[in-house]
Amino acid sequence: MFNIALDAKLRGCDLVKLRLGDIAQGGVIRQRSTIIQQKTGRPVPFEITEAAREALAHWLERRGRRRDDWLFPSRSRDGEHIGTRQYARLVDTWVRMIDLNPSAYGTHSLRRTKVALIYKKTGNLRACQLLLGHGKLESTVRYLGIEVDDALEISEQIDL
């Protein structure tokens, strides 16, 4: 779940609702997928890295055959997916396992992680906007916490 959360850059409410068909076709895990966001109704494309595909294959083997199609099924509610609260508890556990302060991290940290690295490496706000499914570039700027100094640094790297 951790790997797909990083790759997909989805809000928790969308991540927990992933279905097998969203990530695999004919028993083969896809390299890319697109999900329609619940909050905005906008599509969010994402890649599924090799590490995530390996983790998903292991998870699907462990998960076994089930009647439902949820990627992350609930253990307590038959036929349902895990809830966002359970996802938040998992993130809290993962953060504690690596000795970080759980109050500083949450499910949204996973949504932001990869896109922040993409922005830092490329400076491409438009790509970040598309990957997050934001309607306005200004939303992406706020979301990533881009400051004036960042914008000026990018501008200085461009020679005309």
Side-chain angles (χ1 to χ4, degrees), residues 47-58:
E47 75 288 354
I48 304 173
T49 59
E50 183 63 32
R53 288 195 305 275
E54 288 175 14
L56 284 166
H58 180 70

Side-chain angles (χ1 to χ4, degrees), residues 4 28 64 67 92 99-100 106 114 123-124 144 149-150 153:
I4 197 70
V28 177
R67 289 191 332 248
D92 187 71
D99 293 326
L100 293 175
K114 192 167 189 174
N124 189 332
L144 293 175
D149 290 342
D150 294 333
E153 186 177 320

Side-chain angles (χ1 to χ4, degrees), residues 102-139:
S103 65
Y105 300 92
T107 59
H108 224 68
S109 300
L110 296 180
R111 173 168 158 77
R112 183 179 284 123
T113 299
K114 192 167 189 174
V115 77
L117 293 171
I118 290 168
Y119 172 71
K120 191 170 201 159
K121 186 172 183 172
T122 68
N124 189 332
L125 278 172
R126 177 69 177 141
C128 294
Q129 177 189 11
L130 292 171
L131 292 170
L132 290 167
H134 286 163
K136 296 181 180 178
L137 198 57
E138 294 80 20
S139 299

Side-chain angles (χ1 to χ4, degrees), residues 41-90:
R42 297 180 62 84
V44 177
F46 60 93
E47 75 288 354
I48 304 173
T49 59
E50 183 63 32
R53 288 195 305 275
E54 288 175 14
L56 284 166
H58 180 70
W59 165 244
L60 293 176
E61 183 179 308
R62 186 168 181 212
R63 176 186 176 276
R65 291 212 170 265
R66 297 176 58 106
R67 289 191 332 248
D68 60 51
D69 186 37
W70 300 114
L71 182 57
F72 304 112
S74 172
R75 291 184 301 168
S76 60
R77 296 181 327 250
D78 193 36
E80 295 290 322
H81 57 78
I82 71 166
T84 53
R85 187 65 211 121
Q86 180 60 27
Y87 172 44
R89 283 191 288 270
L90 287 170

